[in-house]
Amino acid sequence: MRTALTGEIDVEAPPGEVYARWRDVEAFPEFVELVESVRRVDDIRSFWTVRLGRTPQTFYADIVDDVPERRICWQSTDGALHSGRAEFEPRDGGTHVALETTWDAPDPFAAIGLPLDLDHDLAQRDLERFKRLVEERSRAAH
């Protein structure tokens, strides 16, 4: 079963700063609800632990498209099937962030408690936490 989660938000920080915060994958547990941990392997690959249902799932993900200050796209390479895209657009002195993530939930996940319909507000809540994190750090730095 494939579930797509989307969200958009305006962040009061320049695109370069917003992009850099998103590119710091090890910080994802601070604002992404399903993510328990991320370990960066190299500049492209990272190892993720997420909670889908009752049991943590792990996978490697690779960045498959990276245009600094504009967009980042990723794809899992094993384990939980996941892909996503974050786009960053300058807007009114800040940055508009558009997010789309896709989760494929094979039948074995359903057996361990994966919700059949992930909460579609999840991506928006994650973006709201991301916005607070970026704006707080941006204010502290200036």
Side-chain angles (χ1 to χ4, degrees):
M1 176 180 177
R2 175 168 283 187
T3 301
L5 304 174
T6 61
E8 296 185 25
I9 201 158
D10 290 323
V11 179
E12 294 179 27
E17 191 173 324
V18 175
Y19 165 85
R21 295 283 184 209
W22 195 275
R23 189 72 165 78
D24 180 14
V25 295
E26 291 180 329
F28 271 50
E30 295 179 45
F31 63 91
V32 180
E33 188 174 321
L34 295 178
V35 176
E36 291 189 352
S37 67
V38 181
R39 180 179 49 85
R40 187 171 164 228
V41 175
D42 58 33
D43 205 39
I44 301 297
R45 178 164 280 203
S46 50
F47 181 75
W48 295 65
T49 302
V50 298
R51 185 163 296 277
L52 297 172
R54 284 174 252 171
T55 305
Q57 303 295 313
T58 60
F59 60 89
Y60 284 93
D62 289 352
I63 294 174
V64 295
D65 185 21
D66 188 1
V67 179
E69 299 185 23
R70 296 291 299 154
R71 93 178 146 263
I72 301 172
C73 303
W74 60 93
Q75 172 70 51
S76 64
T77 60
D78 68 338
L81 300 175
H82 171 65
S83 63
R85 173 185 191 99
E87 295 187 350
F88 313 96
E89 178 184 322
R91 185 175 290 173
D92 299 326
T95 306
H96 181 77
V97 180
L99 173 66
E100 180 178 339
T101 61
T102 303
W103 293 92
D104 287 345
D107 289 341
F109 283 178
I112 59 170
L114 176 70
L116 294 178
D117 185 24
L118 289 173
D119 180 353
H120 286 279
D121 294 330
L122 186 62
Q124 192 63 42
R125 289 194 311 268
D126 290 344
L127 284 174
E128 289 167 5
R129 284 188 294 274
F130 176 74
K131 171 186 171 79
R132 283 192 301 273
L133 176 75
V134 171
E135 289 177 354
E136 287 170 5
R137 290 184 180 174
S138 182
R139 282 191 292 274
H142 296 107

